[in-house]
Amino acid sequence: MKSIKNLAIVALVFTTGIIKTESAFAQMSDYKFEQLFEQAFELVLEGNHRQAIPMLTKLYDSDGNHGQVQYLLGMCRMNCGMVDAFTVHVLKKASRNYHFQHQSGRVEDRTAPARAWFYLAEACSKTELESAAIEAYRNYMSCIPLASIDHKSMIVARIKALKNAGIEATIGGNGLLANLNP
């Protein structure tokens, strides 16, 4: 009986040690984080989104609550056509970190820009989450009061298209249209 208890204690200590070791490897020093962030941000500015993704993924793994990292990772994934559930998840987290005084490119700024809502809407739209896309577009519209009329018109058009697509899917999916037309 004692040997089973001792074995259980050893297993518990071993498991706890492994978990602490893994979390220690996942974290990086502030200096290393800042250096990697600056390199990734430079790649993003140059338009090298695909090259920035591995760096941003490391930063995200180290600090998954950094809004600017979330936004940049989601944006880069969108620009590279990597639209999936993870991209939507990252952009949702980024949009929750939105702040109107966001300062792009400053690692100390842990917020995300209003554009996070736009990319979230686009990602939701591409992954057939129409209602979430409409909500994200509306949130984006509320964050950009000084945007151009053309830009706002484009967002309104996308919302209308998503609503129409949802109505068509509902009508077509229930067979109501077939029942209405003789």
Side-chain angles (χ1 to χ4, degrees):
M1 193 65 139
K2 278 190 168 189
S3 64
I4 292 175
K5 283 184 180 180
N6 290 341
L7 185 59
I9 291 171
V10 169
L12 181 64
V13 169
F14 181 73
T15 305
T16 304
I18 288 176
I19 291 171
K20 286 186 177 190
T21 303
E22 286 179 8
S23 66
F25 284 122
Q27 298 296 319
M28 66 176 72
S29 71
D30 290 342
Y31 177 78
K32 176 73 175 168
F33 189 91
E34 185 175 336
Q35 295 299 312
L36 194 57
F37 180 87
E38 288 176 9
Q39 290 172 1
F41 192 74
E42 184 72 26
L43 288 171
V44 171
L45 288 178
E46 294 169 357
N48 296 326
H49 298 122
R50 194 165 300 280
Q51 290 177 328
I53 290 174
M55 292 178 190
L56 291 167
T57 301
K58 285 180 186 176
L59 292 168
Y60 180 78
D61 290 343
S62 178
D63 185 358
N65 294 319
H66 197 290
Q68 193 163 186
V69 170
Q70 297 161 345
Y71 164 71
L72 291 171
L73 178 58
M75 182 211 41
C76 287
R77 290 177 62 85
M78 287 289 298
N79 288 334
C80 291
M82 301 167 66
V83 184
D84 56 14
F86 178 71
T87 304
V88 171
H89 172 73
V90 168
L91 289 168
K92 273 185 187 177
K93 287 177 74 173
S95 64
R96 287 186 212 121
N97 286 317
Y98 158 73
H99 194 275
F100 70 96
Q101 291 181 327
H102 171 74
Q103 296 180 355
S104 186
R106 294 194 56 194
V107 72
E108 303 86 23
D109 187 351
R110 299 176 57 81
T111 66
R115 199 92 171 139
W117 287 109
F118 176 79
Y119 281 108
L120 174 60
E122 294 286 300
C124 288
S125 176
K126 290 180 181 180
T127 55
E128 299 179 2
L129 301 168
E130 288 88 5
S131 62
I134 291 169
E135 181 183 342
Y137 276 131
R138 287 181 177 157
N139 286 330
Y140 177 61
M141 288 285 288
S142 70
C143 296
I144 57 165
L146 301 176
S148 72
I149 298 296
D150 291 337
H151 186 66
K152 286 186 174 186
S153 297
M154 183 259 310
I155 300 299
V156 169
R158 289 186 182 184
I159 291 171
K160 285 180 182 177
L162 285 166
K163 283 183 177 180
N164 290 338
I167 291 170
E168 289 176 16
T170 301
I171 291 173
N174 292 334
L176 296 176
L177 189 58
N179 293 337
L180 294 175
N181 295 329

